[in-house]
């Protein structure tokens, strides 16, 4: 196995952090790796916030669904899906007037732009994660940024058309840290040849069997009869997922409304 494959295989989510600050030259490598990522039309629809202030880290941890461990990291990178800069630049350079004169119409960023921004942002974030790993620096994606999206956006001074997509606390792996690898679904349930293979009931049972054995512990309090019910109660059906859904719906409708409006102008 080559060095990169080994690195990918060894990576785990790190949730226990070392206080030691990350060396500036290491952070440069991490940020440059993010910036080297591919992006749609090379537009780089993202921004990265580097956060070291103790109070702000604590507030972020709270707003991201009270995940206190986040605040213990010496640094947090926040990856923002960002259409603000391109949109502002377009306004600055007379694109709306030009587009209307050309008969092609001008529109504010719409849902397709949002999708591209999400894609660009995640690719950049993962380059940062892997570059960090290569330097002995671990991290953990925190996706619950939309649980309190409005408050988080206020805390970070985010302008319109900027969405806090991913929070990434980072630190050097603590000494003697024992990596525990979480098992994955078997390849045959995830990778299909040529066309999609819809799994039948038996295959679905097989696919989830090892997770069910590992994570499902019947309890009277939970009243779940199987792993799917138990998982649904803890995650998919949990109120924080409803909060995230509502935030995302609001973001989508804001973007879409503005887009429709500028289409009509
Ligand atoms: C989009 C995304 C969101 C995540 N959000 C959280 C989170 O809010 N809190 C957390 O502790 N881990 C979070 N994780 C980490 C996953 O739980 C972790 O990647 C998964 O369990 C596999 O474990 P591993 O990364 O150690 O291989 C997130 C991962 C991803 C990719």
């Amino acid at each position: 196995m080559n060095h990169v494959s080994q690195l990918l295989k060894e990576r785990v989510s790190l949730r226990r952090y070392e206080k030691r600050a990350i060396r500036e030259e290491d952070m440069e490598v991490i940020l440059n790796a993010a910036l080297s990522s591919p992006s749609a039309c090379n537009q780089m629809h993202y921004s990265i916030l580097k956060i070291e202030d103790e109070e702000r880290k604590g507030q972020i941890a709270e707003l991201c669904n009270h995940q206190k461990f986040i605040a213990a990291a010496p640094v947090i990178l926040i990856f923002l899906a960002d259409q603000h800069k391109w949109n502002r630049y377009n306004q600055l350079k007379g694109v709306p007037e030009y587009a209307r004169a050309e008969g092609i119409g001008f529109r504010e960023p719409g849902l397709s732009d949002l999708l591209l921004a999400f894609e660009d942002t995640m690719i950049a974030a993962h380059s940062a994660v892997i570059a960090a790993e290569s330097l002995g620096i671990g991290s953990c994606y925190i996706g619950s940024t939309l649980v309190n999206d409005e408050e988080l956006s206020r805390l970070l001074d985010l302008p319109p058309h900027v969405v806090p997509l991913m929070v990434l606390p980072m630190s050097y792996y603590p000494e003697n840290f024992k990596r525990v690898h979480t098992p994955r679904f078997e390849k045959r349930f995830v990778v299909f040849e040529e066309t999609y293979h819809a799994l039948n009931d038996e295959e679905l049972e097989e696919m989830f069997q090892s997770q069910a054995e590992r994570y499902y512990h019947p309890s009277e309090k939970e009243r779940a009869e199987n792993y799917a019910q138990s998982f649904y109660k803890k995650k998919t059906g949990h109120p924080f997922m409803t909060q995230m859904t509502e935030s995302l719906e609001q973001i989508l409708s804001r973007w879409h409304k503005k887009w429709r409006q500028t289409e009509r102008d």
Side-chain angles (χ1 to χ4, degrees):
M1 199 178 286
N2 71 26
H3 173 63
V4 176
S5 305
Q6 190 67 34
L7 199 74
L8 292 169
K9 191 162 172 274
E10 289 302 316
R11 185 210 58 81
V12 291
S13 289
L14 182 66
R15 299 182 179 84
R16 185 160 68 78
Y17 302 116
E18 246 203 8
K19 271 269 160 271
R20 180 162 59 110
I22 291 191
R23 280 191 295 271
E24 237 170 76
E25 57 269 34
D26 286 349
M27 186 47 76
E28 272 304 292
V29 171
I30 293 168
L31 294 175
N32 286 335
L35 300 186
S36 309
S37 303
S39 70
C41 270
N42 201 22
Q43 282 184 291
M44 300 174 68
H45 285 306
Y46 57 87
S47 295
I48 305 168
L49 288 177
K50 181 170 152 243
I51 292 169
E52 291 170 306
D53 180 78
E54 292 300 330
E55 193 182 341
R56 189 169 286 113
K57 282 190 292 179
Q59 289 166 309
I60 292 166
E62 269 312 296
L63 291 173
C64 290
N65 208 25
H66 318 291
Q67 300 192 73
K68 291 199 188 320
F69 71 89
I70 298 170
V75 64
I76 297 176
L77 296 182
I78 304 193
F79 284 79
L80 308 165
D82 186 349
Q83 289 276 356
H84 177 77
K85 291 177 278 191
W86 267 93
N87 194 40
R88 279 270 303 115
Y89 183 59
N90 284 343
Q91 308 282 348
L92 185 69
K93 305 308 278 185
V95 173
E97 297 77 13
Y98 165 79
R100 283 185 201 111
E102 284 294 301
I104 50 178
F106 178 75
R107 59 174 187 81
E108 296 262 343
L111 296 186
S112 55
D113 305 287
L114 181 63
L115 175 66
L116 289 183
F118 280 5
E119 291 165 339
D120 286 0
T121 307
M122 280 313 304
I123 291 168
H126 207 54
S127 298
V129 165
I130 300 307
E133 282 289 323
S134 76
L135 300 165
I137 295 168
S139 61
C140 180
Y141 280 116
I142 303 295
S144 40
T145 46
L146 299 186
V147 174
N148 291 297
D149 138 73
E150 281 185 17
E151 270 178 85
L152 187 59
S153 297
R154 262 198 303 278
L155 177 70
L156 305 174
D157 276 342
L158 304 186
H161 296 120
V162 176
V163 180
L165 196 61
M166 207 45 84
V167 163
L168 207 55
M170 288 185 162
S171 94
Y172 293 100
Y173 277 93
E175 225 175 287
N176 302 325
F177 180 79
K178 201 172 166 331
R179 296 180 188 225
V180 178
H181 291 273
T182 35
R184 301 301 201 246
F185 292 126
E186 280 178 56
K187 205 191 294 160
R188 67 191 167 114
F189 301 124
V190 182
V191 181
F192 307 131
E193 300 283 335
E194 307 292 344
T195 56
Y196 190 83
H197 170 66
L199 304 179
N200 62 32
D201 294 357
E202 206 172 284
E203 288 167 322
L204 277 174
E205 294 282 5
E206 283 175 42
M207 173 173 164
F208 285 93
Q209 189 180 350
S210 63
Q211 278 205 8
E213 281 166 7
R214 190 181 168 104
Y215 298 120
Y216 172 56
H217 309 291
S219 86
E220 290 207 358
K221 190 164 160 250
E222 193 178 60
R223 295 190 304 276
E225 283 173 15
N226 55 47
Y227 174 54
Q229 293 178 6
S230 158
F231 190 90
Y232 184 86
K233 191 168 194 177
K234 282 198 202 90
K235 173 84 201 290
T236 320
H238 195 278
F240 86 82
M241 289 296 278
T242 313
Q243 275 171 274
M244 296 246 297
T245 303
E246 284 167 1
S247 296
L248 187 58
E249 275 171 1
Q250 276 172 19
I251 290 168
L252 294 178
S253 98
R254 263 200 314 271
W255 284 49
H256 200 52
K257 210 156 93 198
K258 224 159 175 208
W259 183 78
R260 298 294 287 241
Q261 189 186 327
T262 47
E263 273 241 299
R264 277 199 304 272
D265 288 347

